[in-house]
Amino acid sequence: MDIKLDSYIDVIPGIGERKKLIYNRLNIFTIRDILNHYPLRYEDRRMFKRLSEIRQEEMVSIKGIIQSFEIKKPKQGMTLIKVTIRDGYDIGELTFFNNKYISNKLITGRTIKAYGKAKREFGKVRMTSPDFEFDSSRLKTGCIYPVYPLTRGLSNDEILKVLKLIINEINMESLEYLDGELREKLKLCGLGDAIKNIHFPKDPILIKIAKYRLVFDEFFILHLGLKVVKGITEIEKGISFKNQSKLLDFIKNLPFKLTDAQEKVVKEILSDMKRPVPMQRLVQGDVGSGKTIVAFISLYNSYLNGYQGAMMAPTEILAKQHYESAKEIFCELGLTIHLLTGSTTKKQKELIYKSIRDGECDILIGTHALIEDKVDFKNLGIVITDEQHRFGVRQRGKLLGKSDFTPDMIVMTATPIPRTLALIVHGDLDISIIDQMPSGRKPIKTYAVEKKKRNDVYSFAAKEIDKGRQIYVVCPLIEENEKMDLKSAQDLYESLKSNYLKDYEIGLLHGKMKAKEKQEIMDSFLEGSIDVLVSTTVIEVGINVPNASVMIIEDSQRFGLSQLHQLRGRVGRGEYQSYCVLVYVGKNEVTKERIKTMVSTNDGFEISQKDLILRGQGELFGTRQHGIPEFKLADISKHQSVLKLAQQIGDEIIENDPKLERKENSTMKTELKLRMTQINGIIIN
């Protein structure tokens, strides 16, 4: 049989078109995919217990000689098979329902082995519908049994049989891509052995050894690939932005002084922009730390050197806010700034397209509308994407592609990510961190209140409104179901209007509204004609109302820590003391830990580290949006030491051989090509 790693799964005998589609549902398309379909857990079935030693309700492996069997049909459509077995002097009974396979295999005197829950009744051990096999077979009993993620129409036994066939057919040593010397230095087992032992382990220690190698691989291949991609970008021709003299006057004349952290990040960016290679930098800063002005300084630097700049935001509200802020900052400097979003009229769009083509537009701010085919820049010099975690690699790449040369790029995020995670998610970027808040900001006071005491919460809110302040109320998140979220927001809105806050002006904001409606509500809130804004998490990003002083989050136990922190960051933007009130129900450990963390700290980096531990990297923010693969075994919160080792080794290899051109790295490069094509189109040449 000719089985190769890139062969489709239907090369295996018995897997036809129908079964192939079932495997595809588990993202298993090729032989490599099924080898990388790892068990969820293991059951230790190695020890066979004598019938006389078995405890009640014990999960156990047993074996015995078939003494007799009977097949009955108690009713139409049901077949009942009872098998009596003997183990020495003891008798056991196995019961099976509608099992055609076993009825053809039962022979008196034959050895049968079974694994299941044993019950002792009337002096006899009984098992109902156990896993079973005959004679010397050891696929289900007398072994460590792997349990796999499944889907309807596919059984654990089928996966095991296919894996056994593949591992017997393929030369497992050919999977290796690391040389023996490096493996020995890192104390790693061979990749072929790791795959064998993750699926068919003879000992629990072999599972640990296999997992260590496979976790290392997941981190190492991704880090190495992103480093190679970064290296390729760095040798592309970029723009050298040398004219920076007027920039210092611009910074000096700002209506506020930059923090030390902002100055440090600006210095890093300007240094990058001087170099004739494309800048690729992540600017990471907590909510309200002042990333926007850093972006504007970078855009102005591009303008001073005769180039256009583009800034892309994930929502119209945020794009418009950036547009208004940019007009205010640049009002006396003669720049032409345009806003382009989905709700821009056709006539306006045509005028903006022409302005961009002719080079009259200096800065274009907008949403995904910026990557439309009709947007054609004359000389794009810098691209900035805000709230980077909401854009995929391809979207970012499409914007970067709107230039004859590679423009500089800054990606910004207000979701603080622990540095170890940032190096994985953004391994192709240099990282700048704004870890300081502007002076004069009062820390937000956070309180946790059980739902039964929410009367007190809204009494407090009413007092704040009477002082002239405004309030946000965020409705519970309902399993990311937009229809249910909308109902939840409407119910909360009606409840507050008729009860707790009936004497005040209340507005409702949700994701199903048209952009124009959303903007009208937000403008009314900003102007102060709405006292209370009830909203879904659409307000999580980019809303700036300095007069809003209270954030009430209903059913806060439904939110992750990082999301709670983002929501809290909507207040505390003015001169007034601000408050965040977490209304919650339930007392499970995760809820307690989240509430305790939110009440005790305003530090976004500390919060995201805790969120990583509580929820894992996959849920912290959708990994698919980042364009990174979902790790099968690696977990950044649990495997940080392995991650650091993989990054260190990857860095050493790339430092000595940036494009992996040396002979000793050829197998590594081949492996990289095979695996990295799965990551949102990243291709290693």
Side-chain angles (χ1 to χ4, degrees):
M1 194 188 309
D2 185 25
I3 297 180
K4 295 185 174 66
L5 283 176
D6 56 356
S7 299
Y8 287 109
I9 193 73
D10 55 358
V11 75
I12 303 293
I15 298 182
E17 187 61 29
R18 185 178 154 276
K19 188 63 79 172
K20 180 182 83 169
L21 294 173
I22 293 171
Y23 274 101
N24 292 171
R25 290 208 300 263
L26 289 170
N27 288 323
I28 297 171
F29 299 92
T30 66
I31 299 301
R32 181 190 285 275
D33 292 335
I34 195 164
L35 286 175
N36 293 335
H37 187 68
Y38 303 131
L40 284 170
R41 58 187 173 85
Y42 299 88
E43 292 171 354
D44 194 343
R45 304 181 177 187
R46 287 174 296 172
M47 294 293 293
F48 288 98
K49 270 203 173 180
R50 296 189 68 83
L51 296 176
S52 59
E53 298 168 347
I54 290 171
R55 299 190 302 273
Q56 184 71 307
E57 301 281 314
E58 185 178 6
M59 294 298 293
V60 66
S61 290
I62 60 172
K63 63 180 172 181
I65 305 298
I66 297 172
Q67 296 293 292
S68 63
F69 57 90
E70 57 179 336
I71 301 173
K72 293 181 177 178
K73 296 201 172 182
K75 61 181 182 182
Q76 192 170 353
M78 177 185 279
T79 304
L80 178 69
I81 303 168
K82 289 200 171 186
V83 182
T84 302
I85 64 169
R86 180 180 289 280
D87 161 17
Y89 295 107
D90 298 298
I91 297 292
E93 187 178 89
L94 308 177
T95 303
F96 302 91
F97 297 95
N98 296 336
N99 194 317
K100 288 180 186 175
Y101 173 80
I102 196 169
S103 60
N104 298 324
K105 301 284 180 180
L106 293 170
I107 302 167
T108 304
R110 190 179 192 183
T111 298
I112 187 169
K113 299 183 289 185
Y115 176 84
K117 185 181 280 187
K119 292 186 178 180
R120 190 174 286 283
E121 294 172 345
F122 311 111
K124 188 187 286 186
V125 169
R126 299 176 191 271
M127 269 188 190
T128 302
S129 301
D131 277 351
F132 67 93
E133 57 194 347
F134 296 100
D135 309 321
S136 59
S137 176
R138 293 172 68 89
L139 203 59
K140 300 186 198 178
T141 60
C143 63
I144 295 175
Y145 183 77
V147 179
Y148 292 89
L150 298 173
T151 187
R152 186 193 265 300
L154 188 65
S155 72
N156 212 68
D157 290 351
E158 284 177 282
I159 289 179
L160 276 170
K161 281 175 187 169
V162 169
L163 282 166
K164 201 167 189 70
L165 185 149
I166 291 168
I167 286 169
N168 285 338
E169 284 287 328
I170 279 183
N171 173 12
M172 296 301 283
E173 287 182 15
S174 68
L175 298 179
E176 191 53 73
Y177 65 92
L178 294 177
D179 68 61
E181 199 178 311
L182 182 58
R183 288 204 318 273
E184 199 173 321
K185 174 186 166 186
L186 300 176
K187 296 184 169 52
L188 296 172
C189 71
L191 185 54
D193 288 338
I195 296 287
K196 266 192 234 175
N197 289 325
I198 203 79
H199 293 298
F200 298 104
K202 291 187 168 56
D203 188 285
I205 297 217
L206 293 175
I207 300 173
K208 282 188 178 178
I209 292 167
K211 276 188 176 176
Y212 185 84
R213 169 64 201 263
L214 296 170
V215 166
F216 175 88
D217 269 24
E218 288 185 354
F219 286 142
F220 177 73
I221 286 291
L222 180 64
H223 185 67
L224 195 70
L226 291 172
K227 281 283 178 187
V228 171
V229 169
K230 185 180 178 185
I232 292 165
T233 307
E234 284 181 346
I235 60 170
E236 289 175 0
K237 191 166 173 27
I239 307 160
S240 176
F241 297 89
K242 289 178 180 173
N243 176 18
Q244 297 182 343
S245 54
K246 288 185 182 177
L247 200 61
L248 299 174
D249 291 335
F250 171 70
I251 294 169
K252 202 163 75 176
N253 292 325
L254 287 170
F256 47 81
K257 188 180 183 308
L258 296 181
T259 63
D260 292 346
Q262 285 172 317
E263 283 184 358
K264 178 175 73 72
V265 171
V266 166
K267 196 175 176 182
E268 288 168 349
I269 289 170
L270 296 182
S271 173
D272 273 3
M273 290 182 80
K274 264 187 184 176
R275 297 171 65 220
V277 293
M279 168 173 67
Q280 302 229 64
R281 187 165 285 279
L282 170 73
V283 174
Q284 192 178 200
D286 213 339
V287 178
S289 61
K291 295 178 299 302
T292 308
I293 191 60
V294 170
F296 288 166
I297 290 168
S298 310
L299 288 165
Y300 190 51
N301 188 38
S302 174
Y303 163 77
L304 289 173
N305 283 270
Y307 291 93
Q308 295 168 297
M311 187 172 184
M312 186 161 70
T315 65
E316 291 205 14
I317 289 173
L318 184 52
K320 188 174 182 196
Q321 187 177 301
H322 284 326
Y323 173 67
E324 296 296 342
S325 300
K327 282 204 304 182
E328 193 178 328
I329 285 287
F330 298 119
C331 63
E332 294 176 10
L333 297 170
L335 279 75
T336 301
I337 304 167
H338 288 307
L339 174 68
L340 185 64
T341 69
S343 60
T344 305
T345 65
K346 192 175 178 184
K347 188 177 178 183
Q348 285 174 315
K349 279 183 178 176
E350 291 305 325
L351 291 171
I352 291 170
Y353 295 151
K354 184 178 185 306
S355 178
I356 298 162
R357 271 195 314 273
D358 296 346
E360 289 168 7
C361 172
D362 300 308
I363 296 174
L364 181 64
I365 296 172
T367 55
H368 292 79
L370 268 64
I371 61 175
E372 289 173 3
D373 291 339
K374 287 187 177 180
V375 177
D376 183 17
F377 289 90
K378 184 179 182 183
N379 55 349
L380 182 61
I382 188 167
V383 168
I384 298 173
T385 57
D386 195 5
E387 287 307 322
Q388 154 63 10
H389 68 291
R390 301 196 170 207
F391 294 110
V393 171
R394 285 197 186 110
Q395 290 167 320
R396 208 172 70 204
K398 200 166 177 188
L399 190 52
L400 283 169
K402 291 183 176 290
S403 181
D404 296 334
F405 38 79
T406 307
D408 281 7
M409 179 184 69
I410 295 173
V411 294
M412 304 198 301
T413 180
T415 303
I417 309 167
R419 195 170 187 90
T420 45
L421 182 54
L423 285 167
I424 279 288
V425 177
H426 306 290
D428 55 336
L429 306 175
D430 294 310
I431 299 172
S432 291
I433 297 175
I434 304 177
D435 53 4
Q436 183 184 9
M437 300 300 277
S439 61
R441 286 265 173 115
K442 292 178 181 173
I444 301 162
K445 292 183 179 177
T446 304
Y447 299 96
V449 179
E450 286 188 74
K451 199 162 190 169
K452 60 188 178 186
K453 295 182 181 175
R454 67 202 287 262
N455 283 3
D456 298 341
V457 174
Y458 288 104
S459 295
F460 169 72
K463 286 175 187 170
E464 281 292 301
I465 298 169
D466 291 340
K467 288 181 195 173
R469 305 291 80 76
Q470 290 163 281
I471 310 294
Y472 290 106
V473 182
V474 177
C475 73
L477 184 74
I478 312 215
E479 297 172 355
E480 297 188 11
N481 181 319
E482 238 183 302
K483 278 188 181 175
M484 289 176 75
D485 279 350
L486 173 55
K487 184 178 184 308
S488 170
Q490 285 173 329
D491 288 350
L492 182 58
Y493 171 71
E494 297 297 337
S495 164
L496 294 179
K497 267 183 78 171
S498 59
N499 190 357
Y500 298 112
L501 299 174
K502 60 184 178 186
D503 298 328
Y504 303 99
E505 284 298 318
I506 304 177
L508 175 63
L509 188 70
H510 56 77
K512 286 281 186 185
M513 286 177 165
K514 289 180 179 171
K516 191 179 176 187
E517 288 178 287
K518 284 184 198 170
Q519 198 59 57
E520 283 171 1
I521 293 285
M522 278 314 305
D523 289 344
S524 298
F525 191 57
L526 185 59
E527 289 158 9
S529 52
I530 290 176
D531 301 308
V532 181
L533 183 63
V534 176
S535 174
T536 59
T537 54
V538 72
I539 65 151
E540 181 188 343
V541 169
I543 288 174
N544 186 14
V545 180
N547 191 50
S549 66
V550 179
M551 166 63 72
I552 298 168
I553 305 172
E554 289 275 359
D555 283 322
S556 58
Q557 76 281 353
R558 292 184 184 273
F559 298 86
L561 266 175
S562 289
Q563 198 166 30
L564 289 173
H565 182 61
Q566 286 285 323
L567 290 167
R568 174 168 63 183
R570 296 304 108 213
V571 294
R573 292 172 166 258
E575 59 192 280
Y576 313 106
Q577 177 61 58
S578 291
Y579 307 88
C580 176
V581 185
L582 308 173
V583 179
Y584 72 98
V585 291
K587 293 183 179 178
N588 68 53
E589 287 308 309
V590 173
T591 296
K592 281 183 190 170
E593 203 59 44
R594 278 187 191 148
I595 298 290
K596 183 180 165 189
T597 303
M598 285 296 294
V599 171
S600 65
T601 183
N602 280 308
D603 185 328
F605 288 91
E606 190 180 326
I607 285 166
S608 66
Q609 181 69 54
K610 192 73 179 178
D611 210 14
L612 183 61
I613 293 163
L614 290 175
R615 297 203 296 162
Q617 72 251 359
E619 291 183 51
L620 190 54
F621 38 72
T623 51
R624 280 199 184 94
Q625 286 181 313
H626 278 283
I628 69 168
E630 292 180 74
F631 295 131
K632 302 282 183 75
L633 293 172
D635 184 324
I636 295 160
S637 61
K638 293 176 188 169
H639 303 132
Q640 292 209 10
S641 60
V642 190
L643 167 59
K644 283 172 186 170
L645 178 65
Q647 288 172 338
Q648 178 199 325
I649 299 301
D651 290 346
E652 285 172 12
I653 289 166
I654 292 299
E655 194 176 330
N656 293 317
D657 186 11
K659 290 191 189 174
L660 301 179
E661 291 171 323
R662 292 183 185 173
K663 189 180 176 184
E664 66 266 30
N665 292 329
S666 60
T667 52
M668 199 182 292
K669 187 171 184 177
T670 304
E671 187 73 11
L672 203 55
K673 282 182 185 180
L674 284 167
R675 298 214 212 167
M676 289 296 282
T677 49
Q678 301 164 23
I679 307 171
N680 257 1
I682 292 174
I683 299 190
I684 311 294
N685 295 315

